[in-house]
Amino acid sequence: MAPQLTWIGLGNMGRGMCKNLVEKGNLEKPLIIFNRTVKRATDLQSKLPEGKTVVAQTLEEAVSKASIVFTCLGDDAAVKDTLDSIGAHIKGKLFVDCSTIHPETTTMISKAIQGKGGEFVACPVFGAPAMAESGQLVCVLAGPSDLVEKVKPYCTGVMGRAIIDFSDQPPSKATLLKIIGNTFIINMVETLSEGHTLAEKSGLGTDNLHNFIETMFPGPYTAYSRRLMAGDYYKRDEPLFGVDLARKDVRHALSLAGDSGVKMRGLEVAEAHLEEVQKHSGSKGDIAGIYGAVREESGLEFEN
């Protein structure tokens, strides 16, 4: 029998991932979608092929009818709350969590799901919302190999361009990689922000610096450099990588580092700047707003 898929969580990443599941996933049954704010689900449904999605009004409705449940939520608390709300409907279902959460939370929810007769695979993803929209994410899969195999058909060529396969490794290894990997992104934005600010103040000019970045570091460095130059770091109504989520990832990384006896000095600097972004922009703040914070402490305006 064809599996019934449910998707819970329609943030910047979840919307694009759902779109690609519907359009490329060869689903035999409509995808059930749920978001705490129902309007976000109905708005997404209106943009997808007719008859390919069903909007659930409650979590219980979304999960009770599913055999495979994908979750993509903002933080650890949201994942735990969701799990608590659906406890009676876990048995016999495969849960695939794409959220960026602490590895200890992954272990906790994996054990809780298994304890109630369900199955679990961790599937955090690397990539910006634009990559989620275009199906170019990198999916990190961890858990029992037979369960990972059930999830793979929805990854490469559907939601993602590649898989990092941690089959038969604890699910927490996937979120451990995700947290450490996100520190690379945060440090990259910090480096670009300092470089662009110095280029402006020293007289080199940001256009000349960007020419170097584009030549030497095509890809994420170039994309973020463009965002900084265009002022995209403060002009958005909805952040691409919200400051609240970035600071959550920093907290997790610094906690892991502390437990492991590792110092992450660069990340501590970035966290101080993210704190300033949060003060300046509130929940609309974006990780790229680090540029504004570096500018301010260098005697320039936050906005370029």
Side-chain angles (χ1 to χ4, degrees):
M1 181 182 294
Q4 172 63 66
L5 270 60
T6 281
W7 189 281
I8 298 171
L10 298 173
N12 270 350
M13 299 296 290
R15 293 194 297 271
M17 295 164 80
C18 275
K19 168 183 172 291
N20 285 298
L21 268 181
V22 168
E23 294 179 353
K24 305 175 191 174
N26 296 315
L27 305 183
E28 295 184 28
K29 300 176 181 179
L31 177 68
I32 299 171
I33 58 177
F34 174 82
N35 195 75
R36 182 178 57 183
T37 305
V38 177
K39 185 178 185 301
R40 186 167 284 186
T42 55
D43 285 350
L44 176 64
Q45 183 182 47
S46 69
K47 298 173 184 176
L48 296 174
E50 187 175 354
K52 295 295 185 179
T53 58
V54 173
V55 174
Q57 299 298 313
T58 66
L59 268 173
E60 292 78 6
E61 179 189 348
V63 175
S64 63
K65 300 175 182 178
S67 49
I68 301 177
V69 179
F70 284 85
T71 50
C72 187
L73 302 167
D75 57 28
D76 301 52
V79 174
K80 291 175 184 176
D81 289 347
T82 298
L83 182 62
D84 289 343
S85 299
I86 59 174
H89 303 287
I90 288 175
K91 186 175 181 180
K93 303 179 192 302
L94 171 59
F95 288 81
V96 184
D97 186 41
C98 303
S99 313
T100 300
I101 55 178
H102 195 288
E104 290 179 0
T105 304
T106 299
T107 298
M108 184 274 289
I109 63 172
S110 175
K111 289 180 177 179
I113 288 169
Q114 291 170 14
K116 294 184 177 182
E119 299 172 319
F120 183 80
V121 168
C123 180
V125 298
F126 287 103
M131 296 171 72
E133 180 76 14
S134 61
Q136 293 298 304
L137 298 171
V138 175
C139 305
V140 187
L141 292 169
S145 58
D146 60 324
L147 301 181
V148 168
E149 290 301 316
K150 291 182 180 180
V151 180
K152 283 183 178 180
Y154 308 114
C155 294
T156 306
V158 182
M159 296 189 296
R161 64 177 175 83
I163 290 172
I164 297 176
D165 191 343
F166 287 176
S167 289
D168 290 328
Q169 296 190 49
S172 60
K173 288 292 183 70
T175 42
L176 180 57
L177 175 63
K178 173 60 176 170
I179 293 297
I180 295 174
N182 272 11
T183 70
F184 283 54
I185 297 167
I186 294 165
N187 283 320
M188 173 189 69
V189 177
E190 177 69 33
T191 298
L192 284 167
S193 298
E194 294 175 7
H196 270 275
T197 302
L198 179 58
E200 180 173 340
K201 294 205 71 175
S202 67
L204 172 65
T206 56
D207 286 337
N208 286 338
L209 179 66
H210 181 74
N211 191 7
F212 159 75
I213 293 167
E214 199 170 35
T215 303
M216 292 294 294
F217 306 110
Y221 271 85
T222 295
Y224 267 97
S225 180
R226 289 196 187 105
R227 289 193 65 201
L228 303 190
M229 294 177 69
D232 187 63
Y233 65 95
Y234 65 87
K235 294 178 179 177
R236 288 185 164 272
D237 290 329
E238 183 179 16
L240 291 182
F241 188 164
V243 65
D244 295 338
L245 298 182
R247 294 193 72 194
K248 175 260 297 180
D249 293 352
V250 169
R251 288 193 298 272
H252 287 343
L254 292 177
S255 170
L256 290 164
D259 291 343
S260 303
V262 175
K263 298 293 184 183
M264 303 188 80
R265 301 297 193 195
L267 199 60
E268 292 171 1
V269 172
E271 161 59 10
H273 288 141
L274 286 168
E275 184 178 5
E276 293 305 312
V277 175
Q278 197 164 42
K279 290 177 183 176
H280 185 277
S281 306
S283 61
K284 289 186 177 181
D286 189 285
I287 186 177
I290 287 174
Y291 182 38
V294 173
R295 288 172 58 83
E296 274 196 327
E297 72 178 12
S298 304
L300 299 172
E301 295 290 331
F302 186 97
E303 294 83 5
N304 63 354

mmCIF file of all heavy atoms in Angstrom, residues 252-300:
data_model
loop_
_atom_site.group_PDB
_atom_site.id
_atom_site.type_symbol
_atom_site.label_atom_id
_atom_site.label_comp_id
_atom_site.label_asym_id
_atom_site.label_seq_id
_atom_site.Cartn_x
_atom_site.Cartn_y
_atom_site.Cartn_z
ATOM 1 N N HIS A 252 23.367 26.011 21.087
ATOM 2 C CA HIS A 252 23.593 24.563 21.023
ATOM 3 C C HIS A 252 25.067 24.249 20.749
ATOM 4 O O HIS A 252 25.656 23.358 21.375
ATOM 5 C CB HIS A 252 22.723 23.951 19.925
ATOM 6 C CG HIS A 252 21.268 23.868 20.269
ATOM 7 N ND1 HIS A 252 20.785 23.971 21.545
ATOM 8 C CD2 HIS A 252 20.166 23.686 19.473
ATOM 9 C CE1 HIS A 252 19.464 23.844 21.548
ATOM 10 N NE2 HIS A 252 19.070 23.675 20.296
ATOM 11 N N ALA A 253 25.662 24.979 19.819
ATOM 12 C CA ALA A 253 27.065 24.724 19.463
ATOM 13 C C ALA A 253 27.987 25.023 20.638
ATOM 14 O O ALA A 253 28.910 24.249 20.928
ATOM 15 C CB ALA A 253 27.461 25.557 18.244
ATOM 16 N N LEU A 254 27.761 26.143 21.314
ATOM 17 C CA LEU A 254 28.622 26.495 22.447
ATOM 18 C C LEU A 254 28.427 25.526 23.608
ATOM 19 O O LEU A 254 29.376 25.218 24.337
ATOM 20 C CB LEU A 254 28.347 27.931 22.890
ATOM 21 C CG LEU A 254 28.771 29.021 21.897
ATOM 22 C CD1 LEU A 254 28.378 30.401 22.408
ATOM 23 C CD2 LEU A 254 30.274 28.962 21.616
ATOM 24 N N SER A 255 27.206 25.020 23.765
ATOM 25 C CA SER A 255 26.959 24.004 24.786
ATOM 26 C C SER A 255 27.722 22.722 24.472
ATOM 27 O O SER A 255 28.378 22.142 25.344
ATOM 28 C CB SER A 255 25.455 23.713 24.871
ATOM 29 O OG SER A 255 25.197 22.585 25.686
ATOM 30 N N LEU A 256 27.651 22.297 23.226
ATOM 31 C CA LEU A 256 28.382 21.096 22.801
ATOM 32 C C LEU A 256 29.887 21.298 22.955
ATOM 33 O O LEU A 256 30.606 20.404 23.407
ATOM 34 C CB LEU A 256 28.044 20.762 21.347
ATOM 35 C CG LEU A 256 26.625 20.241 21.090
ATOM 36 C CD1 LEU A 256 26.300 20.314 19.608
ATOM 37 C CD2 LEU A 256 26.504 18.807 21.587
ATOM 38 N N ALA A 257 30.349 22.491 22.573
ATOM 39 C CA ALA A 257 31.779 22.786 22.685
ATOM 40 C C ALA A 257 32.220 22.755 24.148
ATOM 41 O O ALA A 257 33.262 22.178 24.489
ATOM 42 C CB ALA A 257 32.085 24.143 22.061
ATOM 43 N N GLY A 258 31.421 23.371 25.020
ATOM 44 C CA GLY A 258 31.764 23.382 26.435
ATOM 45 C C GLY A 258 31.827 21.985 27.016
ATOM 46 O O GLY A 258 32.757 21.656 27.777
ATOM 47 N N ASP A 259 30.864 21.148 26.644
ATOM 48 C CA ASP A 259 30.849 19.762 27.133
ATOM 49 C C ASP A 259 32.039 18.963 26.620
ATOM 50 O O ASP A 259 32.442 17.971 27.241
ATOM 51 C CB ASP A 259 29.555 19.071 26.711
ATOM 52 C CG ASP A 259 28.333 19.629 27.422
ATOM 53 O OD1 ASP A 259 28.499 20.312 28.455
ATOM 54 O OD2 ASP A 259 27.202 19.382 26.942
ATOM 55 N N SER A 260 32.577 19.395 25.477
ATOM 56 C CA SER A 260 33.689 18.664 24.846
ATOM 57 C C SER A 260 35.048 19.290 25.139
ATOM 58 O O SER A 260 36.072 18.811 24.634
ATOM 59 C CB SER A 260 33.475 18.621 23.320
ATOM 60 O OG SER A 260 32.230 18.029 23.001
ATOM 61 N N GLY A 261 35.071 20.376 25.914
ATOM 62 C CA GLY A 261 36.330 21.030 26.243
ATOM 63 C C GLY A 261 36.933 21.787 25.081
ATOM 64 O O GLY A 261 38.152 21.882 24.953
ATOM 65 N N VAL A 262 36.071 22.345 24.211
ATOM 66 C CA VAL A 262 36.526 23.067 23.023
ATOM 67 C C VAL A 262 36.111 24.532 23.133
ATOM 68 O O VAL A 262 34.993 24.832 23.553
ATOM 69 C CB VAL A 262 35.916 22.454 21.737
ATOM 70 C CG1 VAL A 262 36.286 23.279 20.507
ATOM 71 C CG2 VAL A 262 36.374 21.012 21.579
ATOM 72 N N LYS A 263 37.012 25.426 22.760
ATOM 73 C CA LYS A 263 36.698 26.846 22.693
ATOM 74 C C LYS A 263 36.345 27.222 21.250
ATOM 75 O O LYS A 263 37.046 26.825 20.317
ATOM 76 C CB LYS A 263 37.888 27.699 23.161
ATOM 77 C CG LYS A 263 38.300 27.461 24.609
ATOM 78 C CD LYS A 263 37.224 27.939 25.574
ATOM 79 C CE LYS A 263 37.685 27.788 27.022
ATOM 80 N NZ LYS A 263 36.615 28.177 27.979
ATOM 81 N N MET A 264 35.282 27.995 21.092
ATOM 82 C CA MET A 264 34.880 28.464 19.762
ATOM 83 C C MET A 264 34.823 29.986 19.821
ATOM 84 O O MET A 264 33.760 30.608 19.894
ATOM 85 C CB MET A 264 33.531 27.858 19.353
ATOM 86 C CG MET A 264 33.533 26.340 19.355
ATOM 87 S SD MET A 264 32.031 25.598 18.656
ATOM 88 C CE MET A 264 32.362 25.738 16.893
ATOM 89 N N ARG A 265 36.005 30.605 19.791
ATOM 90 C CA ARG A 265 36.115 32.045 19.991
ATOM 91 C C ARG A 265 35.407 32.834 18.894
ATOM 92 O O ARG A 265 34.758 33.846 19.156
ATOM 93 C CB ARG A 265 37.589 32.452 20.061
ATOM 94 C CG ARG A 265 38.389 31.788 21.166
ATOM 95 C CD ARG A 265 37.879 32.162 22.535
ATOM 96 N NE ARG A 265 38.827 31.772 23.574
ATOM 97 C CZ ARG A 265 38.536 31.711 24.861
ATOM 98 N NH1 ARG A 265 37.312 32.016 25.279
ATOM 99 N NH2 ARG A 265 39.452 31.351 25.745
ATOM 100 N N GLY A 266 35.562 32.357 17.661
ATOM 101 C CA GLY A 266 34.911 33.053 16.548
ATOM 102 C C GLY A 266 33.406 33.066 16.703
ATOM 103 O O GLY A 266 32.735 34.064 16.410
ATOM 104 N N LEU A 267 32.857 31.956 17.175
ATOM 105 C CA LEU A 267 31.413 31.863 17.363
ATOM 106 C C LEU A 267 30.947 32.785 18.493
ATOM 107 O O LEU A 267 29.854 33.352 18.427
ATOM 108 C CB LEU A 267 31.023 30.417 17.665
ATOM 109 C CG LEU A 267 29.563 30.036 17.445
ATOM 110 C CD1 LEU A 267 29.156 30.243 15.994
ATOM 111 C CD2 LEU A 267 29.312 28.593 17.872
ATOM 112 N N GLU A 268 31.780 32.953 19.502
ATOM 113 C CA GLU A 268 31.441 33.871 20.591
ATOM 114 C C GLU A 268 31.356 35.312 20.083
ATOM 115 O O GLU A 268 30.476 36.081 20.498
ATOM 116 C CB GLU A 268 32.479 33.750 21.709
ATOM 117 C CG GLU A 268 32.420 32.405 22.441
ATOM 118 C CD GLU A 268 33.582 32.210 23.401
ATOM 119 O OE1 GLU A 268 34.417 33.126 23.514
ATOM 120 O OE2 GLU A 268 33.644 31.140 24.039
ATOM 121 N N VAL A 269 32.249 35.670 19.177
ATOM 122 C CA VAL A 269 32.202 37.011 18.579
ATOM 123 C C VAL A 269 30.924 37.174 17.758
ATOM 124 O O VAL A 269 30.217 38.192 17.850
ATOM 125 C CB VAL A 269 33.450 37.245 17.695
ATOM 126 C CG1 VAL A 269 33.317 38.551 16.908
ATOM 127 C CG2 VAL A 269 34.713 37.276 18.553
ATOM 128 N N ALA A 270 30.609 36.167 16.964
ATOM 129 C CA ALA A 270 29.396 36.228 16.142
ATOM 130 C C ALA A 270 28.148 36.324 17.014
ATOM 131 O O ALA A 270 27.208 37.058 16.692
ATOM 132 C CB ALA A 270 29.320 35.001 15.231
ATOM 133 N N GLU A 271 28.132 35.619 18.134
ATOM 134 C CA GLU A 271 26.978 35.661 19.034
ATOM 135 C C GLU A 271 26.777 37.067 19.600
ATOM 136 O O GLU A 271 25.638 37.541 19.724
ATOM 137 C CB GLU A 271 27.154 34.642 20.158
ATOM 138 C CG GLU A 271 26.290 34.851 21.394
ATOM 139 C CD GLU A 271 24.784 34.833 21.122
ATOM 140 O OE1 GLU A 271 24.359 34.472 20.000
ATOM 141 O OE2 GLU A 271 24.025 35.188 22.049
ATOM 142 N N ALA A 272 27.869 37.738 19.936
ATOM 143 C CA ALA A 272 27.756 39.110 20.432
ATOM 144 C C ALA A 272 27.134 40.016 19.370
ATOM 145 O O ALA A 272 26.308 40.891 19.679
ATOM 146 C CB ALA A 272 29.126 39.636 20.841
ATOM 147 N N HIS A 273 27.494 39.802 18.125
ATOM 148 C CA HIS A 273 26.917 40.596 17.042
ATOM 149 C C HIS A 273 25.450 40.220 16.793
ATOM 150 O O HIS A 273 24.611 41.090 16.520
ATOM 151 C CB HIS A 273 27.740 40.434 15.763
ATOM 152 C CG HIS A 273 29.071 41.122 15.832
ATOM 153 N ND1 HIS A 273 30.215 40.577 15.291
ATOM 154 C CD2 HIS A 273 29.446 42.301 16.395
ATOM 155 C CE1 HIS A 273 31.236 41.407 15.504
ATOM 156 N NE2 HIS A 273 30.780 42.451 16.171
ATOM 157 N N LEU A 274 25.140 38.933 16.891
ATOM 158 C CA LEU A 274 23.753 38.510 16.727
ATOM 159 C C LEU A 274 22.861 39.100 17.821
ATOM 160 O O LEU A 274 21.699 39.436 17.571
ATOM 161 C CB LEU A 274 23.659 36.974 16.745
ATOM 162 C CG LEU A 274 24.152 36.266 15.481
ATOM 163 C CD1 LEU A 274 24.290 34.770 15.732
ATOM 164 C CD2 LEU A 274 23.223 36.516 14.299
ATOM 165 N N GLU A 275 23.407 39.233 19.007
ATOM 166 C CA GLU A 275 22.652 39.868 20.090
ATOM 167 C C GLU A 275 22.300 41.310 19.725
ATOM 168 O O GLU A 275 21.181 41.782 19.972
ATOM 169 C CB GLU A 275 23.457 39.831 21.384
ATOM 170 C CG GLU A 275 22.709 40.397 22.583
ATOM 171 C CD GLU A 275 23.507 40.301 23.867
ATOM 172 O OE1 GLU A 275 24.690 39.886 23.824
ATOM 173 O OE2 GLU A 275 22.945 40.647 24.925
ATOM 174 N N GLU A 276 23.233 42.005 19.098
ATOM 175 C CA GLU A 276 22.976 43.385 18.665
ATOM 176 C C GLU A 276 21.951 43.423 17.530
ATOM 177 O O GLU A 276 21.127 44.342 17.467
ATOM 178 C CB GLU A 276 24.285 44.054 18.233
ATOM 179 C CG GLU A 276 25.277 44.271 19.362
ATOM 180 C CD GLU A 276 24.673 45.057 20.515
ATOM 181 O OE1 GLU A 276 24.034 46.106 20.254
ATOM 182 O OE2 GLU A 276 24.826 44.619 21.677
ATOM 183 N N VAL A 277 22.006 42.444 16.645
ATOM 184 C CA VAL A 277 21.009 42.357 15.565
ATOM 185 C C VAL A 277 19.614 42.201 16.161
ATOM 186 O O VAL A 277 18.649 42.844 15.728
ATOM 187 C CB VAL A 277 21.322 41.184 14.613
ATOM 188 C CG1 VAL A 277 20.216 41.014 13.574
ATOM 189 C CG2 VAL A 277 22.661 41.389 13.919
ATOM 190 N N GLN A 278 19.508 41.348 17.171
ATOM 191 C CA GLN A 278 18.217 41.110 17.803
ATOM 192 C C GLN A 278 17.685 42.389 18.464
ATOM 193 O O GLN A 278 16.504 42.704 18.363
ATOM 194 C CB GLN A 278 18.347 39.993 18.832
ATOM 195 C CG GLN A 278 17.032 39.370 19.251
ATOM 196 C CD GLN A 278 17.249 38.049 19.959
ATOM 197 O OE1 GLN A 278 18.150 37.913 20.784
ATOM 198 N NE2 GLN A 278 16.423 37.060 19.645
ATOM 199 N N LYS A 279 18.565 43.142 19.104
ATOM 200 C CA LYS A 279 18.157 44.400 19.727
ATOM 201 C C LYS A 279 17.697 45.404 18.676
ATOM 202 O O LYS A 279 16.743 46.150 18.880
ATOM 203 C CB LYS A 279 19.324 44.987 20.530
ATOM 204 C CG LYS A 279 19.685 44.219 21.784
ATOM 205 C CD LYS A 279 20.900 44.836 22.459
ATOM 206 C CE LYS A 279 21.327 44.044 23.684
ATOM 207 N NZ LYS A 279 22.576 44.602 24.279
ATOM 208 N N HIS A 280 18.383 45.424 17.544
ATOM 209 C CA HIS A 280 18.083 46.403 16.490
ATOM 210 C C HIS A 280 16.831 46.057 15.706
ATOM 211 O O HIS A 280 16.019 46.935 15.390
ATOM 212 C CB HIS A 280 19.278 46.503 15.530
ATOM 213 C CG HIS A 280 19.135 47.550 14.470
ATOM 214 N ND1 HIS A 280 18.436 47.322 13.297
ATOM 215 C CD2 HIS A 280 19.574 48.830 14.402
ATOM 216 C CE1 HIS A 280 18.475 48.407 12.552
ATOM 217 N NE2 HIS A 280 19.155 49.338 13.195
ATOM 218 N N SER A 281 16.663 44.771 15.372
ATOM 219 C CA SER A 281 15.623 44.372 14.414
ATOM 220 C C SER A 281 14.541 43.470 14.992
ATOM 221 O O SER A 281 13.559 43.183 14.302
ATOM 222 C CB SER A 281 16.265 43.663 13.208
ATOM 223 O OG SER A 281 17.273 44.457 12.623
ATOM 224 N N GLY A 282 14.729 42.997 16.214
ATOM 225 C CA GLY A 282 13.748 42.091 16.794
ATOM 226 C C GLY A 282 13.650 40.791 16.024
ATOM 227 O O GLY A 282 14.630 40.311 15.455
ATOM 228 N N SER A 283 12.436 40.233 15.969
ATOM 229 C CA SER A 283 12.249 38.934 15.328
ATOM 230 C C SER A 283 12.443 38.982 13.814
ATOM 231 O O SER A 283 12.581 37.942 13.172
ATOM 232 C CB SER A 283 10.852 38.389 15.635
ATOM 233 O OG SER A 283 9.854 39.262 15.142
ATOM 234 N N LYS A 284 12.459 40.197 13.226
ATOM 235 C CA LYS A 284 12.707 40.319 11.783
ATOM 236 C C LYS A 284 14.196 40.282 11.445
ATOM 237 O O LYS A 284 14.571 40.283 10.275
ATOM 238 C CB LYS A 284 12.104 41.619 11.259
ATOM 239 C CG LYS A 284 10.584 41.626 11.224
ATOM 240 C CD LYS A 284 10.055 42.888 10.559
ATOM 241 C CE LYS A 284 8.538 42.879 10.458
ATOM 242 N NZ LYS A 284 8.024 44.091 9.789
ATOM 243 N N GLY A 285 15.030 40.255 12.468
ATOM 244 C CA GLY A 285 16.469 40.228 12.233
ATOM 245 C C GLY A 285 16.914 38.970 11.518
ATOM 246 O O GLY A 285 16.372 37.888 11.732
ATOM 247 N N ASP A 286 17.908 39.126 10.664
ATOM 248 C CA ASP A 286 18.438 38.025 9.858
ATOM 249 C C ASP A 286 19.899 37.810 10.241
ATOM 250 O O ASP A 286 20.585 38.743 10.672
ATOM 251 C CB ASP A 286 18.327 38.395 8.371
ATOM 252 C CG ASP A 286 18.655 37.250 7.434
ATOM 253 O OD1 ASP A 286 19.842 36.912 7.280
ATOM 254 O OD2 ASP A 286 17.714 36.690 6.851
ATOM 255 N N ILE A 287 20.379 36.589 10.067
ATOM 256 C CA ILE A 287 21.781 36.295 10.363
ATOM 257 C C ILE A 287 22.716 37.266 9.635
ATOM 258 O O ILE A 287 23.752 37.676 10.172
ATOM 259 C CB ILE A 287 22.122 34.834 10.009
ATOM 260 C CG1 ILE A 287 23.550 34.487 10.445
ATOM 261 C CG2 ILE A 287 21.919 34.565 8.533
ATOM 262 C CD1 ILE A 287 23.925 33.047 10.197
ATOM 263 N N ALA A 288 22.337 37.667 8.423
ATOM 264 C CA ALA A 288 23.178 38.594 7.655
ATOM 265 C C ALA A 288 23.237 39.971 8.297
ATOM 266 O O ALA A 288 24.101 40.786 7.955
ATOM 267 C CB ALA A 288 22.664 38.698 6.220
ATOM 268 N N GLY A 289 22.348 40.222 9.255
ATOM 269 C CA GLY A 289 22.391 41.474 9.993
ATOM 270 C C GLY A 289 23.652 41.633 10.827
ATOM 271 O O GLY A 289 23.925 42.736 11.337
ATOM 272 N N ILE A 290 24.416 40.570 10.978
ATOM 273 C CA ILE A 290 25.737 40.682 11.609
ATOM 274 C C ILE A 290 26.520 41.819 10.959
ATOM 275 O O ILE A 290 27.262 42.544 11.636
ATOM 276 C CB ILE A 290 26.511 39.344 11.496
ATOM 277 C CG1 ILE A 290 25.916 38.301 12.449
ATOM 278 C CG2 ILE A 290 28.001 39.539 11.804
ATOM 279 C CD1 ILE A 290 26.530 36.917 12.303
ATOM 280 N N TYR A 291 26.325 41.982 9.652
ATOM 281 C CA TYR A 291 26.998 43.072 8.926
ATOM 282 C C TYR A 291 26.643 44.425 9.537
ATOM 283 O O TYR A 291 27.514 45.281 9.761
ATOM 284 C CB TYR A 291 26.597 43.010 7.451
ATOM 285 C CG TYR A 291 27.246 44.041 6.555
ATOM 286 C CD1 TYR A 291 28.577 44.433 6.711
ATOM 287 C CD2 TYR A 291 26.516 44.610 5.508
ATOM 288 C CE1 TYR A 291 29.160 45.369 5.859
ATOM 289 C CE2 TYR A 291 27.092 45.533 4.649
ATOM 290 C CZ TYR A 291 28.412 45.906 4.831
ATOM 291 O OH TYR A 291 28.984 46.836 3.986
ATOM 292 N N GLY A 292 25.360 44.624 9.809
ATOM 293 C CA GLY A 292 24.940 45.881 10.414
ATOM 294 C C GLY A 292 25.566 46.092 11.772
ATOM 295 O O GLY A 292 25.975 47.214 12.126
ATOM 296 N N ALA A 293 25.657 45.022 12.570
ATOM 297 C CA ALA A 293 26.255 45.127 13.904
ATOM 298 C C ALA A 293 27.740 45.471 13.820
ATOM 299 O O ALA A 293 28.249 46.294 14.594
ATOM 300 C CB ALA A 293 26.047 43.822 14.666
ATOM 301 N N VAL A 294 28.449 44.847 12.879
ATOM 302 C CA VAL A 294 29.878 45.145 12.695
ATOM 303 C C VAL A 294 30.045 46.585 12.216
ATOM 304 O O VAL A 294 30.947 47.305 12.672
ATOM 305 C CB VAL A 294 30.521 44.151 11.699
ATOM 306 C CG1 VAL A 294 31.960 44.561 11.373
ATOM 307 C CG2 VAL A 294 30.494 42.728 12.266
ATOM 308 N N ARG A 295 29.185 47.018 11.318
ATOM 309 C CA ARG A 295 29.235 48.401 10.835
ATOM 310 C C ARG A 295 29.057 49.386 11.996
ATOM 311 O O ARG A 295 29.818 50.348 12.135
ATOM 312 C CB ARG A 295 28.149 48.631 9.772
ATOM 313 C CG ARG A 295 28.422 47.962 8.419
ATOM 314 C CD ARG A 295 27.198 48.094 7.497
ATOM 315 N NE ARG A 295 26.830 49.491 7.290
ATOM 316 C CZ ARG A 295 27.409 50.293 6.392
ATOM 317 N NH1 ARG A 295 28.368 49.830 5.603
ATOM 318 N NH2 ARG A 295 27.016 51.543 6.267
ATOM 319 N N GLU A 296 28.064 49.135 12.838
ATOM 320 C CA GLU A 296 27.794 50.045 13.940
ATOM 321 C C GLU A 296 28.987 50.176 14.906
ATOM 322 O O GLU A 296 29.329 51.270 15.328
ATOM 323 C CB GLU A 296 26.561 49.578 14.709
ATOM 324 C CG GLU A 296 25.260 50.084 14.138
ATOM 325 C CD GLU A 296 24.110 49.945 15.117
ATOM 326 O OE1 GLU A 296 24.103 48.978 15.904
ATOM 327 O OE2 GLU A 296 23.216 50.815 15.092
ATOM 328 N N GLU A 297 29.593 49.027 15.240
ATOM 329 C CA GLU A 297 30.706 49.104 16.182
ATOM 330 C C GLU A 297 31.959 49.683 15.528
ATOM 331 O O GLU A 297 32.917 50.006 16.209
ATOM 332 C CB GLU A 297 31.006 47.736 16.801
ATOM 333 C CG GLU A 297 31.647 46.718 15.887
ATOM 334 C CD GLU A 297 31.959 45.394 16.591
ATOM 335 O OE1 GLU A 297 31.472 45.184 17.722
ATOM 336 O OE2 GLU A 297 32.700 44.585 16.003
ATOM 337 N N SER A 298 31.901 49.854 14.203
ATOM 338 C CA SER A 298 33.017 50.460 13.472
ATOM 339 C C SER A 298 32.738 51.916 13.116
ATOM 340 O O SER A 298 33.487 52.520 12.333
ATOM 341 C CB SER A 298 33.293 49.649 12.188
ATOM 342 O OG SER A 298 33.550 48.287 12.489
ATOM 343 N N GLY A 299 31.645 52.451 13.644
ATOM 344 C CA GLY A 299 31.341 53.872 13.442
ATOM 345 C C GLY A 299 30.498 54.186 12.236
ATOM 346 O O GLY A 299 30.366 55.344 11.852
ATOM 347 N N LEU A 300 29.900 53.145 11.623
ATOM 348 C CA LEU A 300 29.023 53.355 10.461
ATOM 349 C C LEU A 300 27.568 53.118 10.874
ATOM 350 O O LEU A 300 27.305 52.612 11.957
ATOM 351 C CB LEU A 300 29.408 52.376 9.332
ATOM 352 C CG LEU A 300 30.819 52.473 8.771
ATOM 353 C CD1 LEU A 300 31.090 51.313 7.806
ATOM 354 C CD2 LEU A 300 31.038 53.807 8.072
#
